[in-house]
Amino acid sequence: MSHNIKILPGATVCEDCTLEGDITIGGGTVIHPRVTIIAEGGPIIIAEYCIIEEYSTIIHKKSDQQENPPKPLFIGAHNVFEVGCKLESPCGHIGESNVFECRSYVGVDVKIGSGCVVGAACHLTAPQTLVDNTVIWGSEHHIREALEKQPSQLLQLDFLSKVMPNYHRLRKPNVHKRQSSTRQSQEPSPKP
Amino acid sequence: MAYLTQPDYVKYICSCGQLKPITSLYFCRHCLKIRCGFCICHEVDSHYCANCLENMPSSEARLKKNRCSSCFDCPSCFHTLSTRATMAQPRQTPQDPAGGDTKVESKQPKKMYYLSCFNCRWTSRDVGIPDQPVASGGWPERTNPFAARVNQLLDYYKAIALQEKQEKIERERKKFTIRGKYITLTDKTGLTGAMARNIAGLPSSDSSCSAIANFVPSQASAEVEELPEDYYTKEVNLNQITSMPQRLASPEWQPVSVSRLHPLAKLLSVKRSQRCRVCDHNLTKPEYNPGSIKFKIELLAYYHVPEVKIISHEPVKAGEKTALLLKLTNPTGHEMQIKLLQPEDLPPPEEKEEPKSIEKSLEKSLNLEKDTSSYKAIEREPQYSVTSRVTSPPTALTLAQRDDAAEYDDDAQHDTTE
Ligand SMILES: [Zn+2]
Ligand SMILES: [Zn+2]
Ligand SMILES: [Zn+2]
Ligand SMILES: [Zn+2]
């Protein structure tokens, strides 16, 4: 598998994590140690200001009906992947401002909009589409619809990007601003 | 041995005949008997809020319907709500800092607070409750649409209870005057009934009479509101409809739509003490401070009754002998004699008639004390099924006292006798 890791300026990526395949990490995103991101079925693009916490796993799964060239798995801005969560997806698009709580699992064939919350230890395995602002919580997977998106973690991101370099070895950004600007245009403007 | 996640393999027979694991048993030091939650008296010591740990006297708790005035539960998942602060600019609808770099742009950011649930992410904004400028309190209260009727009913039943109480006093008094042997307090001191009521702290009977007389019973009506036209055809959006537990959590309103869910004032918890019914001694008594989980009195069976653990056993086969290895531990600081008995050798529950003194009951009737007859401890034969027989060693075993230093010893063979 070719390793092509692109880290944009402003991203904080710990050295102690497994990154395999074609991965792009947007500026402002913080990746904690012990994170696994595997792009075996196609590239993974992680947009700006995401937090990916310890022991979370993001896999772009290989699938039989794969297009050539393979479609990327695009993860929108301001997503939070909490400790130990797992996201498996063949390809597609994950919106922005979603929260994947601790030890949650999102299987293949789950489409996720924006502002969704997958509660702690909730397992989504059946094919389904989460419309915007869906909240799933509890062992019985209760579903409710939130009125607005989850508040962003800008303060936390600020703090993490300041503190992380003091305690962890980091991977250096290897892409320059010019390429990042194309990515920026993809990010939808924040809602008023 | 009792486990958190496994079934209780070893059960002890409580003096009331219940079979319980050792962790839910008490040991009355005064009766020298095992007691359990079923055969002891539970008393409320104090009311407190489990979230803000504030104590509340019981009269105030009753007034506030046993709810904390500053803490709330989530109406959606019943988790405790947390207060969250946001920066909001005046003259602007409160919005998330997510909406952009408001933090940087705002000239005069004002701190506003809203309630949010960390479990299901419900927020007070979801149902349109405006953000509050202060961190605690000030949340809008809804009035019960049936408050007047509820109060009317309350007054009515209070009046009836009072009337019944008075009738009972009268009856008791008559009973004792007929006997002639005892002079009641009122006869002896020339107290009138009204004065006695005053002493007992009861209100005069006039107001209660009017409450009973003016009460209007509710009438059943055959006229019911028609169902809306599209009742059967409209598509149901389950996300907009409340669940049964959500409705029942606020019985006054019973919201049908999630947009009508309001924060629930948090229910108070109680600290309770437990008392032996036979000797009236406390078995447990917690410390008053809600933040403390310690006890002033804590007569748990675990500290007094030898603990039995099943170390190993072989599968039981019909007609064959198998080995069962038990470990007995003496938790006390004294040597202990133990004899293993067959189920049929158990001593039958003792029949004991408590002598009831008339003086005592007279005093009770005057003091309007609660009727204690329902507190009596009843001893029953334990019920259990036996599928095999344990051949026990005929001799009594001696368990050495607990050795506090044993835990710190290196050699493992330092346990109590087996
Ligand atoms: Zn009992
Ligand atoms: Zn409280
Ligand atoms: Zn909740
Ligand atoms: Zn007792």
Side-chain angles (χ1 to χ4, degrees), chain B residues 374-413:
Chain B
S374 58
Y375 296 174
K376 219 178 91 191
I378 299 165
E379 300 193 349
R380 289 186 193 85
E381 292 263 7
Q383 300 286 318
Y384 47 83
S385 58
V386 180
T387 53
S388 60
R389 231 185 127 69
V390 177
T391 330
S392 56
T395 52
L397 307 167
T398 308
L399 288 190
Q401 68 244 42
R402 184 193 61 215
D403 183 1
D404 284 326
E407 283 178 39
Y408 305 103
D409 259 2
D410 283 336
D411 61 320
Q413 289 332 96

Short mmCIF file of all heavy atoms in Angstrom, two decimals, chain B residues 374-413:
data_model
loop_
_atom_site.label_atom_id
_atom_site.label_comp_id
_atom_site.label_asym_id
_atom_site.label_seq_id
_atom_site.Cartn_x
_atom_site.Cartn_y
_atom_site.Cartn_z
N SER B 374 -47.97 -2.61 62.68
CA SER B 374 -47.56 -3.06 61.36
C SER B 374 -46.05 -3.25 61.29
O SER B 374 -45.54 -3.74 60.29
CB SER B 374 -47.99 -2.05 60.30
OG SER B 374 -47.44 -0.80 60.60
N TYR B 375 -45.33 -2.81 62.30
CA TYR B 375 -43.88 -2.92 62.26
C TYR B 375 -43.39 -4.27 62.74
O TYR B 375 -42.23 -4.56 62.70
CB TYR B 375 -43.23 -1.88 63.18
CG TYR B 375 -43.46 -0.47 62.79
CD1 TYR B 375 -43.03 0.56 63.60
CD2 TYR B 375 -44.11 -0.15 61.61
CE1 TYR B 375 -43.23 1.86 63.26
CE2 TYR B 375 -44.32 1.16 61.27
CZ TYR B 375 -43.88 2.17 62.09
OH TYR B 375 -44.08 3.46 61.76
N LYS B 376 -44.31 -5.07 63.28
CA LYS B 376 -43.86 -6.29 63.94
C LYS B 376 -43.09 -7.20 62.98
O LYS B 376 -43.47 -7.36 61.83
CB LYS B 376 -45.08 -7.04 64.49
CG LYS B 376 -44.79 -7.66 65.85
CD LYS B 376 -46.01 -8.34 66.40
CE LYS B 376 -46.01 -9.78 65.97
NZ LYS B 376 -47.28 -10.45 66.24
N ALA B 377 -42.03 -7.75 63.48
CA ALA B 377 -41.25 -8.66 62.65
C ALA B 377 -41.89 -10.04 62.66
O ALA B 377 -42.24 -10.56 63.71
CB ALA B 377 -39.83 -8.75 63.18
N ILE B 378 -42.07 -10.60 61.48
CA ILE B 378 -42.66 -11.92 61.39
C ILE B 378 -41.58 -12.89 60.91
O ILE B 378 -40.86 -12.60 59.96
CB ILE B 378 -43.84 -11.93 60.40
CG1 ILE B 378 -44.91 -10.96 60.90
CG2 ILE B 378 -44.42 -13.33 60.27
CD1 ILE B 378 -45.93 -10.61 59.87
N GLU B 379 -41.47 -14.00 61.61
CA GLU B 379 -40.45 -14.97 61.21
C GLU B 379 -41.11 -16.14 60.49
O GLU B 379 -42.12 -16.67 60.94
CB GLU B 379 -39.70 -15.45 62.45
CG GLU B 379 -39.02 -14.30 63.16
CD GLU B 379 -38.02 -14.75 64.19
OE1 GLU B 379 -38.00 -15.95 64.49
OE2 GLU B 379 -37.27 -13.89 64.67
N ARG B 380 -40.55 -16.48 59.36
CA ARG B 380 -41.13 -17.57 58.57
C ARG B 380 -40.07 -18.63 58.32
O ARG B 380 -38.88 -18.37 58.44
CB ARG B 380 -41.60 -17.04 57.21
CG ARG B 380 -42.82 -16.16 57.29
CD ARG B 380 -43.28 -15.82 55.88
NE ARG B 380 -44.25 -14.75 55.92
CZ ARG B 380 -43.92 -13.47 55.95
NH1 ARG B 380 -42.66 -13.10 55.93
NH2 ARG B 380 -44.84 -12.53 56.00
N GLU B 381 -40.56 -19.78 57.91
CA GLU B 381 -39.64 -20.84 57.52
C GLU B 381 -39.05 -20.48 56.16
O GLU B 381 -39.78 -20.05 55.26
CB GLU B 381 -40.41 -22.17 57.36
CG GLU B 381 -40.93 -22.73 58.66
CD GLU B 381 -40.01 -23.79 59.23
OE1 GLU B 381 -38.90 -23.96 58.68
OE2 GLU B 381 -40.39 -24.41 60.23
N PRO B 382 -37.77 -20.67 55.98
CA PRO B 382 -37.20 -20.38 54.66
C PRO B 382 -37.69 -21.38 53.63
O PRO B 382 -37.95 -22.54 53.94
CB PRO B 382 -35.69 -20.49 54.89
CG PRO B 382 -35.55 -21.35 56.10
CD PRO B 382 -36.75 -21.10 56.95
N GLN B 383 -37.85 -20.91 52.39
CA GLN B 383 -38.30 -21.76 51.30
C GLN B 383 -37.15 -21.97 50.33
O GLN B 383 -36.62 -21.01 49.79
CB GLN B 383 -39.45 -21.09 50.54
CG GLN B 383 -40.66 -20.79 51.39
CD GLN B 383 -41.43 -22.05 51.72
OE1 GLN B 383 -41.62 -22.90 50.86
NE2 GLN B 383 -41.87 -22.16 52.96
N TYR B 384 -36.72 -23.16 50.14
CA TYR B 384 -35.71 -23.43 49.13
C TYR B 384 -35.84 -24.88 48.70
O TYR B 384 -36.37 -25.72 49.44
CB TYR B 384 -34.30 -23.14 49.64
CG TYR B 384 -34.00 -23.70 51.01
CD1 TYR B 384 -33.61 -25.03 51.16
CD2 TYR B 384 -34.13 -22.90 52.14
CE1 TYR B 384 -33.35 -25.54 52.41
CE2 TYR B 384 -33.87 -23.41 53.39
CZ TYR B 384 -33.48 -24.73 53.52
OH TYR B 384 -33.24 -25.24 54.75
N SER B 385 -35.38 -25.15 47.50
CA SER B 385 -35.48 -26.51 47.01
C SER B 385 -34.12 -27.18 47.17
O SER B 385 -33.08 -26.56 47.00
CB SER B 385 -35.91 -26.51 45.55
OG SER B 385 -34.98 -25.77 44.80
N VAL B 386 -34.14 -28.44 47.50
CA VAL B 386 -32.90 -29.19 47.70
C VAL B 386 -32.85 -30.30 46.67
O VAL B 386 -33.79 -31.09 46.55
CB VAL B 386 -32.85 -29.78 49.12
CG1 VAL B 386 -31.56 -30.55 49.32
CG2 VAL B 386 -32.98 -28.68 50.16
N THR B 387 -31.80 -30.33 45.91
CA THR B 387 -31.67 -31.39 44.91
C THR B 387 -30.57 -32.37 45.28
O THR B 387 -30.44 -33.41 44.66
CB THR B 387 -31.36 -30.80 43.53
OG1 THR B 387 -30.23 -29.94 43.66
CG2 THR B 387 -32.52 -30.01 42.98
N SER B 388 -29.77 -32.00 46.23
CA SER B 388 -28.72 -32.93 46.65
C SER B 388 -28.49 -32.75 48.15
O SER B 388 -29.04 -31.85 48.78
CB SER B 388 -27.43 -32.64 45.88
OG SER B 388 -27.02 -31.31 46.14
N ARG B 389 -27.71 -33.64 48.69
CA ARG B 389 -27.47 -33.62 50.12
C ARG B 389 -25.99 -33.38 50.39
O ARG B 389 -25.13 -33.96 49.73
CB ARG B 389 -27.86 -34.97 50.71
CG ARG B 389 -28.79 -34.87 51.87
CD ARG B 389 -29.03 -36.23 52.46
NE ARG B 389 -28.74 -36.18 53.88
CZ ARG B 389 -29.48 -35.51 54.74
NH1 ARG B 389 -30.52 -34.85 54.33
NH2 ARG B 389 -29.16 -35.50 56.01
N VAL B 390 -25.73 -32.52 51.32
CA VAL B 390 -24.34 -32.26 51.66
C VAL B 390 -24.00 -33.06 52.90
O VAL B 390 -24.67 -32.96 53.93
CB VAL B 390 -24.11 -30.76 51.90
CG1 VAL B 390 -22.67 -30.51 52.32
CG2 VAL B 390 -24.44 -29.97 50.66
N THR B 391 -23.00 -33.89 52.81
CA THR B 391 -22.54 -34.61 53.99
C THR B 391 -21.54 -33.70 54.70
O THR B 391 -20.47 -33.42 54.17
CB THR B 391 -21.84 -35.91 53.60
OG1 THR B 391 -22.43 -36.37 52.37
CG2 THR B 391 -21.97 -36.95 54.68
N SER B 392 -21.92 -33.22 55.84
CA SER B 392 -21.05 -32.24 56.50
C SER B 392 -20.24 -32.92 57.58
O SER B 392 -20.66 -33.93 58.14
CB SER B 392 -21.91 -31.14 57.10
OG SER B 392 -22.85 -31.71 57.97
N PRO B 393 -19.07 -32.39 57.85
CA PRO B 393 -18.29 -32.95 58.95
C PRO B 393 -19.05 -32.78 60.27
O PRO B 393 -19.62 -31.73 60.52
CB PRO B 393 -17.00 -32.13 58.93
CG PRO B 393 -17.32 -30.91 58.15
CD PRO B 393 -18.40 -31.27 57.19
N PRO B 394 -19.09 -33.83 61.07
CA PRO B 394 -19.92 -33.78 62.27
C PRO B 394 -19.36 -32.88 63.37
O PRO B 394 -20.10 -32.43 64.22
CB PRO B 394 -19.95 -35.25 62.73
CG PRO B 394 -18.71 -35.86 62.15
CD PRO B 394 -18.38 -35.11 60.93
N THR B 395 -18.09 -32.60 63.34
CA THR B 395 -17.51 -31.82 64.43
C THR B 395 -17.69 -30.33 64.18
O THR B 395 -17.89 -29.88 63.06
CB THR B 395 -16.01 -32.11 64.55
OG1 THR B 395 -15.42 -31.92 63.26
CG2 THR B 395 -15.75 -33.51 65.05
N ALA B 396 -17.63 -29.59 65.26
CA ALA B 396 -17.68 -28.13 65.15
C ALA B 396 -16.31 -27.63 64.73
O ALA B 396 -15.28 -28.19 65.11
CB ALA B 396 -18.07 -27.53 66.49
N LEU B 397 -16.33 -26.60 63.89
CA LEU B 397 -15.08 -26.03 63.43
C LEU B 397 -14.78 -24.79 64.23
O LEU B 397 -15.67 -24.09 64.68
CB LEU B 397 -15.17 -25.66 61.95
CG LEU B 397 -15.64 -26.74 61.00
CD1 LEU B 397 -15.97 -26.12 59.66
CD2 LEU B 397 -14.56 -27.79 60.86
N THR B 398 -13.53 -24.48 64.38
CA THR B 398 -13.15 -23.25 65.05
C THR B 398 -12.50 -22.34 64.04
O THR B 398 -11.55 -22.73 63.36
CB THR B 398 -12.16 -23.54 66.19
OG1 THR B 398 -12.73 -24.56 67.00
CG2 THR B 398 -11.91 -22.30 67.01
N LEU B 399 -13.06 -21.16 63.92
CA LEU B 399 -12.48 -20.18 63.02
C LEU B 399 -11.68 -19.19 63.86
O LEU B 399 -12.22 -18.58 64.78
CB LEU B 399 -13.57 -19.41 62.26
CG LEU B 399 -14.35 -20.12 61.17
CD1 LEU B 399 -15.19 -19.10 60.42
CD2 LEU B 399 -13.44 -20.84 60.23
N ALA B 400 -10.43 -19.04 63.53
CA ALA B 400 -9.62 -18.08 64.27
C ALA B 400 -10.08 -16.67 63.95
O ALA B 400 -10.73 -16.44 62.93
CB ALA B 400 -8.16 -18.25 63.87
N GLN B 401 -9.75 -15.76 64.83
CA GLN B 401 -10.20 -14.39 64.59
C GLN B 401 -9.49 -13.80 63.38
O GLN B 401 -8.48 -14.32 62.93
CB GLN B 401 -9.96 -13.51 65.81
CG GLN B 401 -8.50 -13.26 66.12
CD GLN B 401 -8.10 -13.85 67.44
OE1 GLN B 401 -8.49 -14.97 67.76
NE2 GLN B 401 -7.36 -13.12 68.22
N ARG B 402 -10.05 -12.71 62.91
CA ARG B 402 -9.50 -12.07 61.73
C ARG B 402 -8.08 -11.60 62.02
O ARG B 402 -7.80 -11.07 63.10
CB ARG B 402 -10.38 -10.87 61.36
CG ARG B 402 -9.96 -10.18 60.09
CD ARG B 402 -10.65 -8.86 59.95
NE ARG B 402 -10.29 -8.00 61.07
CZ ARG B 402 -11.10 -7.12 61.63
NH1 ARG B 402 -12.34 -7.03 61.22
NH2 ARG B 402 -10.70 -6.36 62.60
N ASP B 403 -7.23 -11.80 61.06
CA ASP B 403 -5.84 -11.38 61.22
C ASP B 403 -5.61 -10.20 60.29
O ASP B 403 -5.56 -10.35 59.08
CB ASP B 403 -4.92 -12.55 60.85
CG ASP B 403 -3.46 -12.19 61.07
OD1 ASP B 403 -3.20 -11.05 61.50
OD2 ASP B 403 -2.62 -13.05 60.79
N ASP B 404 -5.52 -9.01 60.88
CA ASP B 404 -5.38 -7.82 60.05
C ASP B 404 -4.08 -7.80 59.27
O ASP B 404 -3.97 -7.17 58.23
CB ASP B 404 -5.46 -6.56 60.92
CG ASP B 404 -6.89 -6.29 61.32
OD1 ASP B 404 -7.78 -6.58 60.50
OD2 ASP B 404 -7.12 -5.82 62.44
N ALA B 405 -3.10 -8.50 59.81
CA ALA B 405 -1.79 -8.47 59.17
C ALA B 405 -1.71 -9.46 58.02
O ALA B 405 -0.77 -9.41 57.24
CB ALA B 405 -0.70 -8.77 60.18
N ALA B 406 -2.74 -10.34 57.91
CA ALA B 406 -2.66 -11.42 56.92
C ALA B 406 -2.49 -10.87 55.51
O ALA B 406 -1.76 -11.43 54.71
CB ALA B 406 -3.91 -12.28 56.99
N GLU B 407 -3.15 -9.77 55.23
CA GLU B 407 -3.10 -9.22 53.88
C GLU B 407 -1.69 -8.80 53.51
O GLU B 407 -1.33 -8.77 52.34
CB GLU B 407 -4.00 -7.99 53.79
CG GLU B 407 -5.45 -8.34 53.70
CD GLU B 407 -6.30 -7.07 53.66
OE1 GLU B 407 -5.89 -6.10 53.01
OE2 GLU B 407 -7.35 -7.09 54.33
N TYR B 408 -0.92 -8.44 54.52
CA TYR B 408 0.42 -7.92 54.22
C TYR B 408 1.47 -9.03 54.21
O TYR B 408 2.62 -8.77 53.93
CB TYR B 408 0.79 -6.84 55.24
CG TYR B 408 -0.24 -5.77 55.31
CD1 TYR B 408 -1.16 -5.70 56.35
CD2 TYR B 408 -0.33 -4.82 54.27
CE1 TYR B 408 -2.12 -4.73 56.38
CE2 TYR B 408 -1.29 -3.84 54.29
CZ TYR B 408 -2.19 -3.79 55.35
OH TYR B 408 -3.15 -2.83 55.37
N ASP B 409 1.03 -10.24 54.58
CA ASP B 409 1.99 -11.33 54.61
C ASP B 409 2.29 -11.83 53.20
O ASP B 409 1.44 -11.79 52.32
CB ASP B 409 1.43 -12.49 55.45
CG ASP B 409 2.04 -12.48 56.83
OD1 ASP B 409 2.84 -11.55 57.09
OD2 ASP B 409 1.72 -13.36 57.63
N ASP B 410 3.48 -12.33 53.06
CA ASP B 410 3.86 -12.79 51.74
C ASP B 410 3.37 -14.20 51.46
O ASP B 410 2.95 -14.50 50.35
CB ASP B 410 5.39 -12.75 51.58
CG ASP B 410 5.87 -11.33 51.36
OD1 ASP B 410 5.04 -10.52 50.87
OD2 ASP B 410 7.01 -11.03 51.68
N ASP B 411 3.43 -15.06 52.49
CA ASP B 411 3.03 -16.44 52.23
C ASP B 411 1.51 -16.53 52.15
O ASP B 411 0.78 -15.95 52.93
CB ASP B 411 3.59 -17.41 53.26
CG ASP B 411 3.13 -17.11 54.65
OD1 ASP B 411 3.05 -15.90 55.01
OD2 ASP B 411 2.81 -18.05 55.37
N ALA B 412 1.07 -17.26 51.16
CA ALA B 412 -0.36 -17.29 50.86
C ALA B 412 -1.14 -18.15 51.85
O ALA B 412 -2.33 -17.97 52.05
CB ALA B 412 -0.58 -17.82 49.46
N GLN B 413 -0.47 -19.09 52.52
CA GLN B 413 -1.17 -20.04 53.38
C GLN B 413 -1.51 -19.41 54.74
O GLN B 413 -1.29 -19.99 55.77
CB GLN B 413 -0.30 -21.29 53.64
CG GLN B 413 -0.10 -22.23 52.47
CD GLN B 413 -1.22 -22.25 51.48
OE1 GLN B 413 -1.19 -21.57 50.46
NE2 GLN B 413 -2.24 -23.04 51.73
#
